[in-house]
Amino acid sequence: MEPTGRRRAAVTLKDLAAELGIHVSTVSRVLHSESEVARGAASTETARRVRDLAKLRGYSPDPQATSLRTRRTRAIGVIVPRLSDIVLATMYEGVEEAAAESNHSTFVMNSHDDLDEQRRKAEIMLARRVDGLILGDVHAGSSLVDDLVKRHVPFVLMNRRYPGFPSSTCDDTGGGRLVADHLWSTGHRSVAIIAGETYASTGVDRTAGFVERWNELGGDVPADRILPSRFDTEGGRQAGEELLRRDGEAPTAVFAVNDFAAIGAMGAFRAAGLVVGQDIAVVGFNDTSLAAQLPIPLTSVRSPMLEIGRSAVGMLRRVMAGEDVASVRHRAELFVRESSESGAVGARRGLRVG
């Protein structure tokens, strides 16, 4: 019997190779290589024998040795504006799930949507020798993506897009068009948009999709009815108050390009004595878990946040393998609730989507 307190020596690749009577390099390639390399390393039967014996003997690779040998850490760095944002947190859950399935580890850092912080956090991750980056905070006109290309750093974008680079996002333009169809069908003709930050493709594309479709339907969104805002409740509240302060007739419907801005605007309207869903319609975007639970449930466009994160990992793995990767736009769905079910005065009632 083995003496108590003494650890059994770890099983090595040489041990497995000796027991199987094959070369140690064959065992290593079967157990450590990506699938295509592993398939070419040995016959199907030999590969099965290698894996079965490794499992039986409790073989576990040394991650440090593997990193030195392959120059890969199997680590993925993820940068988001704020992990406290439920939208980005849900996307990161998808990243973490998909990464674990492919035996990658992940770690995430917040940039607070600051360009200098984005670059600093990227450098920290690269110093840790991550195999690739997932950027969830890219800004329009940012030079970071071009710098990463010059340095041959594998990366993909998530949540926001940037022309010319692979990204996993919601179909934000299509989502904006869904909102326009809904509000038009319920009789609204006077609308406003709480449009988010001008550097983020999410708000820009959602706004553009709405305006494009509204114009096709015969409507018009005056430029002064499109208000930039922060992507939080305070930004939405400020934009809502600004709309109510302006001269002229108030809009009958407001599209806020994310749920938190919509919730802030609803608070501003309520404080002014308006009943959301009756006096004014409000629609948000992302369909976070809060939307359906509000005192007046919020109509919102559902973004498949978890799948956006999962897809980003698959895309990054293909980029790391040297493949050309196309961007993915995930389907948006509109869920109509009390905040916009009642149409404008005299309007016909729209078809309930969700």
Side-chain angles (χ1 to χ4, degrees), residues 76 132-134 154-156 311-321:
I76 294 171
L133 295 173
I134 295 176
F155 72 92
V156 297
S311 177
V313 174
M315 293 169 65
L316 179 60
R317 291 184 64 202
R318 292 171 57 200
V319 170
M320 292 190 298

Side-chain angles (χ1 to χ4, degrees), residues 23 47 100 133 185 201 229 234 248 263 274 281 296 309 320-321 325 330 339:
H23 197 276
L133 295 173
S185 73
S201 69
S229 70
E234 181 61 18
I263 291 168
L274 300 176
I296 298 176
M320 292 190 298
V325 178
H330 299 269
S339 73

Side-chain angles (χ1 to χ4, degrees), residues 9 11 28 32 58 71 73 82 133 140 165 194 204 210 267 296 318 322:
V11 176
S28 177
H32 296 155
R71 297 193 179 277
T73 59
R82 292 168 190 82
L133 295 173
F165 299 96
I194 298 177
V204 171
F210 182 98
I296 298 176
R318 292 171 57 200

Side-chain angles (χ1 to χ4, degrees), residues 208-223:
F210 182 98
V211 171
E212 178 184 66
R213 181 57 179 156
W214 199 254
N215 291 342
E216 290 172 0
L217 292 166
D220 176 58
V221 186

